[in-house]
Amino acid sequence: MPQLAIHRLSMAHPGDLSALHALMQSGAVRAGDIRAVIGKTEGNGGLNDFTRGYFTQSLMLLLCAATGADPAALAARIPCVLSGGTEGALSPHYLVFAVDRAATGARGLAMGTAFSAPTPPAEIGRQAQILAVAQAVRDAVADAGIARAEDVALVQVKAPCAQSPGPEARSGDPRVLMALSRAAAAFGVGLALGDIPEAREAELLRDVGRFSNRASISSGIEVTANEVVVFGQADGWAPDLVAGVAPLADLLDLEGVVAAFRAAGLDAAPAVPAAQRARVIGVLAKGEPDRSGAIRGARHTMLGDTDLDAQRHLRGALGAIVASVAGHGQVFVSGGAEHQGPPGGGLVCVFARAG
């Protein structure tokens, strides 16, 4: 009967794993128990963001030294979901998810992981990727021991992209391909969980009414397969952690942010009381600039200009709102919420210690 532990750690630079190394040396974390890492680096979040790959390489080398396993083998079984861009009040950090299989429990927060087969550029944003992600989600649900789809709280996916897509790719623009990859992964999550009954590649980025409020997708050229991490309730897991998830109707949906913290058992009103902030372990948020060009009737200027990408506007704005409720800036805020909530919206997930 396993127990999940989550550690939120700071980094001085994208290759700084000293905080994790210290936990491993003290015995607080066993390298062999680490099942996934989700983090924010201070890169630009674009195709040429080297900070994500730099962090992943540093992590695998650290775990290689601790376990003796081959770095490539570690990377093939430990999802490392990184989002670049810590604009505004956001702070670089990472969450380490470790599972102690020897612990006992009745029912609690469970975690499962799975990888799809490598996805070539020609399959990104196509039916093959949708189906591959759906199967990986089912595998991760089974790995966690989650019995029902309705018991799944969140599915985090790192989906691949290609810097040089090639003539067989669905788009020759890597940025469009990145969006298609996120969209296909979201459809795969929705298909596996029943949130999207039918998922066809022709509807990607077009039928915005199809979405899953339990899908959080990032994409990057540093991965070649779809890496899946599932969280939910299952028997046999220790009940000391909770995950509160709530959808965001739009970028200014403070009520939706507060709802996620309250779902995690915190008395946010709207900010989490100072006495409860230590219970907040990690916060994940997804959002996107509304494609209508307006938020609640007022025009926004989050555009794809050459000086500042729209997603950087998004991360700075949404990050400030979520961080003000959490009481700190170590919040995972990721743009590109295609089919991961209502148009112009997104979601928030709060990991917290049970009260």
Side-chain angles (χ1 to χ4, degrees):
M1 292 184 179
Q3 180 173 14
L4 175 64
I6 308 174
H7 302 271
R8 187 179 80 242
L9 305 174
S10 302
M11 62 174 84
H13 55 77
D16 176 27
L17 275 299
S18 59
L20 177 57
H21 185 220
L23 287 180
M24 290 164 54
Q25 285 190 316
S26 71
V29 174
R30 293 189 296 244
D33 289 347
I34 296 174
R35 295 289 308 280
V37 173
I38 300 175
K40 285 294 295 183
T41 59
E42 65 251 48
N44 61 18
L47 286 162
N48 64 345
D49 185 349
F50 74 93
T51 63
R52 300 183 303 242
Y54 179 27
F55 178 93
T56 301
Q57 180 186 57
S58 301
L59 173 66
M60 298 310 163
L61 289 175
L62 174 65
L63 297 182
C64 168
T67 65
D70 179 73
L74 290 168
R77 68 174 178 82
I78 301 176
C80 190
V81 181
L82 300 172
S83 172
T86 51
E87 293 80 5
L90 296 176
S91 178
H93 70 287
Y94 56 105
L95 302 175
V96 176
F97 298 85
V99 175
D100 181 358
R101 295 271 180 193
T104 60
R107 183 173 176 82
L109 183 62
M111 185 191 79
T113 62
F115 284 66
S116 75
T119 302
E123 293 184 2
I124 293 176
R126 298 193 184 276
Q127 200 70 23
Q129 185 184 13
I130 295 173
L131 298 178
V133 171
Q135 185 56 54
V137 171
R138 296 185 190 102
D139 292 343
V141 168
D143 180 53
I146 299 173
R148 305 179 304 166
E150 52 264 42
D151 291 333
V152 174
L154 181 78
V155 180
Q156 178 70 60
V157 181
K158 185 69 179 188
C161 191
Q163 199 162 21
S164 300
E168 296 182 354
R170 187 168 175 187
S171 173
D173 185 336
R175 292 176 300 177
V176 174
L177 201 64
M178 182 179 282
L180 284 166
S181 185
R182 290 192 298 263
F187 265 34
V189 172
L191 185 63
L193 300 183
D195 295 341
I196 302 176
E198 292 182 307
R200 296 182 290 271
E201 67 178 71
E203 298 166 338
L204 297 178
L205 305 182
R206 294 185 178 181
D207 189 350
V208 294
R210 290 179 175 268
F211 58 83
S212 173
N213 279 325
R214 296 184 284 175
S216 174
I217 318 295
S218 292
S219 178
I221 62 172
E222 73 275 14
V223 299
T224 59
N226 299 281
E227 305 183 0
V228 176
V229 188
V230 167
F231 301 95
Q233 287 288 312
D235 294 336
W237 291 75
D240 56 340
L241 297 177
V242 292
V245 181
L248 297 181
D250 58 35
L251 181 57
L252 300 178
D253 188 6
L254 176 61
E255 293 84 358
V257 176
V258 170
F261 282 85
R262 290 179 177 172
L266 300 157
D267 299 323
V272 173
Q276 294 184 0
R277 288 176 189 165
R279 287 172 49 196
V280 180
I281 305 173
V283 184
L284 312 180
K286 289 293 297 189
E288 64 174 358
D290 197 309
R291 297 185 184 186
S292 71
I295 302 175
R296 302 186 184 184
R299 185 170 66 94
H300 72 73
T301 59
M302 292 182 286
L303 307 173
D305 293 332
T306 56
D307 58 340
L308 192 61
D309 187 79
Q311 301 299 335
R312 308 198 76 175
H313 282 285
L314 178 283
R315 291 191 293 265
L318 181 57
I321 295 171
V322 179
S324 67
V325 177
H328 61 79
Q330 289 186 327
V331 174
F332 178 102
V333 177
S334 175
E338 303 89 352
H339 305 293
Q340 299 155 63
L347 63 84
V348 174
C349 173
V350 179
F351 297 109
R353 295 179 181 86

